Amino acid sequence: MALFASSVFPLPLFKSNSDPYRLFSTKKGFNLGFQKLKTRRLHRTKVAVHFAMFSENPLIGDLIATAFSGGIAFSMLRLWEETAKRGVFDQKTNRKLVHISIGLVFMLCWPMFSSGQQGAILAAFIPGLNIIKMLLLGLGIWKDDATVKSMSRFGDHRELLKGPLYYAFSITYACAIYWRYSPISIGLICNLCAGDGIADIVGRRFGKQKLPYNKNKSFAGSIAMAAAGFLASLGFLLYFSLLGYIQVSSKTVLGFLFMSLAAALVESHPLSSELDDNLTVPLTSVLVGSLVL
């Protein structure tokens, strides 16, 4: 798995001086390394610093953030397991609600962690545990009918070795490698969660006009995927920019647009269904994002 990730996904270059937590105080004001910050940048950085709320010790703070974020993710999964068990939604819709919500809610928790690789790795530990869970459930070592029902198309535990496993791996990869300072991580998760999830729901309800090259996909679903992935990416770009982790620019906005359009195009191709959308969509997002961002 590690060999696959290193050979397929390019690794980004981290710049230590872009870390908003490297903030030093002097009598004359605040500065970042050798360079004074502008007032707006200073305000965003102070907000980001205050968001590391749990402890003055970064490691203890990260451990508390891991437990808190893990509790939120676990609660979300339990919610969808209960809705699946009680039949609140049909199985396909319930599965897509899991698909949409888990990754996006988890990304909202990223500011709880400290900056740098330590925070990224401990945050990635949460979806990383889900990789292990999918393997255990998919191989039949662990029995959990509620989880299988909420995440599979037909209730077969072996399905978890494909889409759900790729989903967990993609979010773990985006978190550990790109983290909250890279627009690629935002675009990857938003196209995977919001884009792909909304595409299925809209396509099943309004997708009467099918694509000429794939009768299983519709114009409505593909358009919804591109729009949802793009709008979600813009929302998280604004969210992280307000906290001082990333800067908004026209290049980034256009990059998100290209990423979402490319992901929707690849998702609509018949080959994507054979391989799995949860693999092809993140892969496309990373490759296109690396080119345009």
Side-chain angles (χ1 to χ4, degrees), residues 158-180:
R158 290 171 296 185
E159 294 180 55
L160 273 60
L161 294 175
K162 292 186 177 181
L165 180 61
Y166 299 148
Y167 179 94
F169 175 78
S170 297
I171 294 178
T172 303
Y173 174 81
C175 181
I177 302 301
Y178 290 101
W179 196 212
R180 62 195 179 202

Side-chain angles (χ1 to χ4, degrees), residues 211-223:
L211 297 174
Y213 55 88
N214 190 350
K215 298 302 180 182
N216 294 321
K217 303 290 183 178
S218 66
F219 283 102
S222 294
I223 293 171

Side-chain angles (χ1 to χ4, degrees), residues 17-66:
N17 60 0
S18 66
D19 189 339
Y21 282 87
R22 294 181 180 276
L23 184 64
F24 303 106
S25 175
T26 66
K27 293 183 179 180
K28 296 182 180 180
F30 291 88
N31 62 78
L32 185 62
F34 306 101
Q35 194 174 0
K36 270 193 173 182
L37 295 173
K38 294 181 180 179
T39 303
R40 183 188 300 179
R41 179 64 177 169
L42 170 61
H43 174 71
R44 290 201 302 264
T45 305
K46 290 170 72 177
V47 172
V49 171
H50 292 159
F51 232 97
M53 62 189 77
F54 297 114
S55 173
E56 292 183 0
N57 185 313
L59 178 58
I60 295 176
D62 283 338
L63 292 174
I64 296 173
T66 301

